[in-house]
Amino acid sequence: MRGSDFAELRAFAAIVEHGGFARAAAHLGMSASALSQTLRNLEERLGVRLLNRTTRSVAPTEAGRQMLARLTPAMAEIDAAVAQAVEQRQNPSGLLRLNVTRVAALHFLAPLIAPFHHQYPDITLDLNVEERLVDIVAGGFDAGVRLHEKLAKDMVAVKLGGEVRMRVVASPAYLARHGRPSTPGDLHRHRCLNYRWPTNGSLYRWEFECDGEKQEIAVEGPVIVDEPEVLVRAAMDGAGIAYLFEQQVAAGLADGRLLPLLDAWTPPFPGFYLYYPANRQMPRPLRAFIDFARQQAEQGA
């Protein structure tokens, strides 16, 4: 149906509902003469007379009455659909599916869940936590959260929070037995706690930078895991040196169970980004979440 077709049908229904051209024209925000021409166009296009007109009143013909009987519920459904769309624009609702890494879920998104739900109670937040990179479109996700370096070039990226930092840590007991490394190269002589990438099974090479010099160190040690949170406890218990996000070891550093190492070699870097396809219209729940996350980041700055 063309837009002009719908306008003509709505004009016909308004004339019958309001009992005449003048009142219907005022309701529709148009002149009575323009409304009369609209009805004539409809009748000519259909080839049937819809209204009987007199100088005092208008009334639907039998054809007009039958058509109006079917038009009225259909137009009510259209009006309800438009009203619902406006309501969702004002109060976003529905399901928001995000694919996120474990670190992002635990340390960046988890603190947002309760306040986000309080502000947007009609949005259901569905977090799928995994380390491997996935095709968020094929997976049916609205967006993902990853470090900026992991993002595909055809994605729109929105920064979440500030910079992040990796920390090299060990327990006081471990350092008392084995000493402290002074440079990244010294790690080859230490018991290091390894992390295996779940994406391809390779071991993570610890990354360092100082005064423009970059190094990647392949470390060795007594344990290899694909769950980095395990390394926090292992490091606290003296099993070896760990390389983890600052958020993961903040409590241990604060209470002295862990001590920082090689800080000059682990500067901050761009943190996590929420990303979504550039060629897709943004769902209202996603727009609400992005605005909320930005607001929280500004308040915490």
Side-chain angles (χ1 to χ4, degrees), residues 151-175:
L151 303 185
K153 301 300 182 184
D154 59 345
M155 293 288 171
V156 176
V158 179
K159 199 172 192 319
L160 293 180
E163 294 180 317
V164 296
R165 186 183 183 188
M166 304 300 294
R167 301 299 293 271
V168 182
V169 297
S171 70
Y174 174 88
L175 296 176

Side-chain angles (χ1 to χ4, degrees), residues 54-71:
T54 70
T55 56
R56 295 186 177 182
S57 65
V58 294
T61 63
E62 180 59 23
R65 186 189 63 77
Q66 292 180 9
M67 188 171 77
L68 187 63
R70 302 190 66 176
L71 275 180

Side-chain angles (χ1 to χ4, degrees), residues 141-211:
F141 298 102
D142 296 298
V145 178
R146 291 289 185 277
L147 292 175
H148 190 267
E149 63 195 54
K150 303 295 184 181
L151 303 185
K153 301 300 182 184
D154 59 345
M155 293 288 171
V156 176
V158 179
K159 199 172 192 319
L160 293 180
E163 294 180 317
V164 296
R165 186 183 183 188
M166 304 300 294
R167 301 299 293 271
V168 182
V169 297
S171 70
Y174 174 88
L175 296 176
R177 293 194 304 269
H178 300 281
R180 301 173 66 97
S182 299
T183 67
D186 292 342
L187 293 170
H188 292 302
R189 298 190 294 274
H190 281 269
R191 299 165 64 84
C192 296
L193 309 178
N194 255 310
Y195 172 70
R196 176 186 289 114
W197 285 111
T199 51
N200 57 18
S202 65
L203 298 184
Y204 178 60
R205 295 170 65 90
W206 295 10
E207 300 172 89
F208 298 98
E209 181 178 354
C210 183
D211 296 331

